[in-house]
Amino acid sequence: DSRNKQSPMSQSVNEANERKKKREQEILRVNNIIKTLKTHCFACDDKTCCGLNCVMVPTTSKKNPQPSVRQQHWCKLCFGKTDSRNNFHTSNDSRASQYPLCKVATITNQSKMCKHCCMLLDESIEERGKKDDHNKGHGNCVYKLRIRRILLHRTLRTTDCGQASKQLLQQVSNNQKLWYETMATNVRLIESSKGQK
């Protein structure tokens, strides 16, 4: 029946409208999750987790062969491991003369994103908070490292001194659409992994 068939033009319009509606739903969902990040980590639902705690898994060292969680074996910039000679790096600029600096620390143009918590600072995002909320140093923003934890979900626990995390953060830092898409995708991945536990 020709009445039930859509023209290619109207089909394209309908598909575009569906994509727009889906994107708006994802933005709303991400914004609602961001509101909760002031009180707890989305990945583990723990109020005491800053976003990095649930990433850290037990590691060993020559001096301490017994596996245990050692905060010094984890980078708070890239959420990667720093537990061996091959991947050791620092997030501290003042120690960069002694040790390789995390690649994330070398990102220069993050003007639209808080370099501490990774929140986009675009005025259209109500949840961004005030500028004062973001000038307190790494991990001390109102969101701690919880947004960073979601954004870096697919680069967690790497041993590349922050290279993969740097590439991702450079891509999303000045691109609101990609930032939201990455957040939405990683929220789904985190929820899926929660369901498997």
Side-chain angles (χ1 to χ4, degrees):
D1 184 28
S2 61
R3 288 175 298 172
N4 293 333
K5 289 183 180 177
Q6 290 184 330
S7 71
M9 180 68 149
S10 64
Q11 187 174 354
S12 293
V13 169
N14 287 342
E15 288 170 0
N17 286 337
E18 280 299 312
R19 283 192 302 272
K20 182 181 178 194
K21 183 179 175 183
K22 183 181 177 200
R23 181 167 150 57
E24 288 170 351
Q25 289 171 340
E26 284 184 340
I27 288 171
L28 180 64
R29 178 109 201 288
V30 168
N31 284 341
N32 286 334
I33 288 170
I34 288 170
K35 289 175 189 175
T36 70
L37 297 180
K38 291 179 181 178
T39 59
H40 66 276
C41 175
F42 175 75
C44 67
D45 297 319
D46 189 333
K47 291 179 180 179
T48 63
C49 179
C50 68
L52 178 60
N53 305 28
C54 63
V55 173
M56 298 186 293
V57 294
T59 55
T60 61
S61 66
K62 284 184 181 179
K63 291 180 184 176
N64 299 306
Q66 199 68 3
S68 70
V69 174
R70 295 175 176 84
Q71 193 158 9
Q72 70 270 22
H73 287 178
W74 298 92
C75 177
K76 63 182 181 178
L77 289 180
C78 70
F79 285 18
K81 286 186 174 185
T82 63
D83 63 342
S84 76
R85 188 178 301 184
N86 294 335
N87 64 20
F88 187 79
H89 61 281
T90 182
S91 57
N92 188 336
D93 287 336
S94 64
R95 297 177 69 199
S97 62
Q98 299 168 283
Y99 307 106
L101 188 61
C102 178
K103 302 284 189 223
V104 172
T106 66
I107 298 174
T108 54
N109 185 14
Q110 277 186 299
S111 59
K112 294 184 179 179
M113 185 170 78
C114 174
K115 66 180 182 178
H116 303 300
C117 73
C118 294
M119 178 66 195
L120 275 186
L121 300 176
D122 192 284
E123 289 182 12
S124 67
I125 302 174
E126 185 181 322
E127 290 74 24
R128 75 188 181 287
K130 295 181 172 73
K131 219 169 194 156
D132 291 344
D133 294 333
H134 298 280
N135 289 332
K136 298 178 180 176
H138 196 75
N140 296 320
C141 293
V142 67
Y143 295 111
K144 301 187 180 186
L145 300 174
R146 295 168 180 160
I147 292 173
R148 183 179 290 267
R149 165 64 179 89
I150 296 171
L151 270 179
L152 298 180
H153 181 71
R154 288 177 283 174
T155 62
L156 298 176
R157 302 182 186 102
T158 58
T159 57
D160 65 355
C161 298
Q163 186 60 42
S165 296
K166 175 184 177 178
Q167 288 173 339
L168 173 73
L169 292 175
Q170 283 178 315
Q171 291 170 354
V172 302
S173 65
N174 294 305
N175 185 331
Q176 182 176 336
K177 182 180 178 194
L178 185 57
W179 186 88
Y180 270 111
E181 286 172 2
T182 304
M183 288 287 286
T185 298
N186 289 348
V187 160
R188 286 192 298 273
L189 291 171
I190 292 167
E191 286 177 329
S192 175
S193 66
K194 283 181 182 180
Q196 294 173 2
K197 290 181 180 176

